[in-house]
Amino acid sequence: MATRVRPGNKRCAVIGGSGFLGRHLVEKLLDKGYTVSVFDIRQSYELPGVTFHLGDLCDPQALAPALRDVSLVFHCASPAPGSDNRALFETVNIKGTRTVIQACAEAGVQKLVLTSSASVVFEGTDIKNGGEDLPYAKKPIDYYTETKIEQEKLVLAACDKEKGFLTVAIRPHGIFGPRDPQLVPILVDTARRGKMKFIIGDGTNLVDFTFVENVVHGHILAAERLRADSPICGKPYHITNDEPVRFWDFMSDVLVGLGYAAPRYHLPYTLVYGLALLLWLLALILRPLVSIKPTFTPMRVALAGTHHYYSCERAKQDMGYKPVVGLKEGIARTVQSYPHLRQGA
Ligand SMILES: NC(=O)C1=CN([C@@H]2O[C@H](COP(=O)(O)OP(=O)(O)OC[C@H]3O[C@@H](n4cnc5c(N)ncnc54)[C@H](O)[C@@H]3O)[C@@H](O)[C@H]2O)C=CC1
Ligand SMILES: CC(C)=CCC[C@@H](C)[C@H]1CC[C@H]2C3=C(CC[C@]12C)[C@@]1(C)CCC(=O)C[C@@H]1CC3
């Protein structure tokens, strides 16, 4: 174990800092006077006050220089959730997270904030106002979720007040905002291919979508409240917009804001889920011969057709969390940030 870095120094590291959430987090940390080391497999921007360290988080030698003299680490790297590469998820999210914990211990880091996901408790069936006491999914819906569960368990179990190494996990849900590479681009691509005409189920299911700046706010609050005498040590926290919305209303607002038609026709949930499952199996069987990438995966259908919204009461109580940007404003700012994805652009 290395000598502990001076507590409270304003140097931190963001693992996965080139990604969507990571970059927003880095920008806010800079605003707040931190100096930031970004560790990532790629560099996607340059900013004064940020040092980039390129490497794979599974490689302890590559990680070490990024953690030097750093008291606080945010770990928000993950393979894209849409991938079905089980080996990659296991390597990065499980083995890689063990490496991150070990590297933090060796560098004398005092605080580790993990970006987990609210979906660690989601099994494809309704969750209404779910609290953090819900059990982890016994049958996780995909490899992403399966490995996010193991990752969260590893980070929370590593919290050790005696050794002065404190950890916390933030569980956001459905992050959206400017530069998001997933939600809006996938939605627009689906609409452009004429596949966004249908509503899966009766369209009344409520879901949390969380504006990226609220997720960043939750991470920084957690980091700043993480002390040996704080109740947040070793615990997971839901961070949402605290405004559950009908999944299909949210999709329609984004689509209409970008000039596309809102979905109108209803299809039964079980039919679409069954078809998505069949297509997924077919893609698996045919994988050696041809690569099929279905738009409607079982995971996406489950997310689009069930209730899944979470209580962030615990974050409000233990760390004074309150969303800083409302849903309506978040949607408006998001839509405005994608001029190139507008209908006809
Ligand atoms: N986008 C969403 O709706 C949600 C995301 N999350 C979590 O938030 C975190 C950030 O997600 P996003 O910013 O949306 O994803 P992103 O894909 O934009 O960013 C992830 C970053 O991790 C990096 N990375 C991947 N493998 C790496 C490796 N082996 N070594 C070093 N860097 C590596 C990537 O290069 C990328 O820059 C992830 O942990 C994800 O599980 C949780 C809930 C919802
Ligand atoms: C039906 C259809 C084509 C919808 C398009 C939007 C979807 C791409 C998003 C709607 C809900 C999103 C979501 C995630 C990814 C993008 C969506 C499926 C996550 C799986 C990302 C990673 C997580 O940790 C949980 C997210 C839940 C919501």
Side-chain angles (χ1 to χ4, degrees), residues 16 18-21 40-42 55-57 76-78 92 115-117 144 148 172 174-175 181-182:
S18 282
F20 164 50
L21 171 65
D40 203 298
I41 36 173
R42 64 192 174 111
D56 187 324
L57 62 84
C76 56
S78 167
V92 177
T115 315
S116 179
S117 167
Y144 167 79
K148 288 298 281 184
I175 312 176
Q182 268 204 126

Side-chain angles (χ1 to χ4, degrees), residues 117-296:
S117 167
S119 61
V120 294
V121 298
F122 183 63
E123 289 191 317
T125 51
D126 291 342
I127 293 183
K128 298 179 182 179
N129 208 32
E132 288 85 347
D133 51 350
L134 283 174
Y136 287 115
K138 284 189 193 67
K139 289 187 194 144
I141 196 150
D142 55 14
Y143 304 137
Y144 167 79
T145 314
E146 192 177 314
T147 56
K148 288 298 281 184
I149 294 174
E150 292 315 310
Q151 177 191 54
E152 187 185 278
K153 287 183 184 168
L154 284 170
V155 169
L156 297 182
C159 188
D160 188 333
K161 291 182 187 175
E162 306 283 291
K163 288 191 180 147
F165 182 58
L166 306 178
T167 66
V168 62
I170 298 300
R171 293 178 175 176
H173 193 58
I175 312 176
F176 73 101
R179 301 193 297 255
D180 152 45
Q182 268 204 126
L183 199 152
V184 176
I186 294 175
L187 188 60
V188 166
D189 179 59
T190 314
R192 284 183 172 165
R193 288 187 290 118
K195 290 187 176 172
M196 264 335 271
K197 294 191 170 68
F198 302 101
I199 292 171
I200 301 171
D202 67 5
T204 61
N205 56 307
L206 295 175
V207 171
D208 278 318
F209 287 99
T210 314
F211 189 63
V212 63
E213 288 181 22
N214 294 326
V215 180
V216 165
H217 180 53
H219 279 69
I220 297 178
L221 270 181
E224 293 184 342
R225 302 285 164 109
L226 194 55
R227 284 187 304 265
D229 59 354
S230 142
I232 77 171
C233 295
K235 283 200 199 146
Y237 285 87
H238 292 153
I239 290 292
T240 73
N241 245 77
D242 204 21
E243 281 177 86
V245 58
R246 286 182 174 197
F247 180 93
W248 294 99
D249 285 354
F250 180 87
M251 294 298 144
S252 298
D253 284 352
V254 175
L255 284 171
V256 171
L258 288 167
Y260 301 88
R264 291 170 54 189
Y265 310 106
H266 290 264
L267 286 175
Y269 176 78
T270 36
L271 173 78
V272 185
Y273 190 81
L275 286 175
L277 211 53
L278 267 179
L279 207 59
W280 181 78
L281 277 174
L282 200 68
L284 201 68
I285 295 164
L286 295 179
R287 196 188 285 171
L289 304 170
V290 48
S291 155
I292 307 175
K293 293 244 173 285
T295 309
F296 290 91

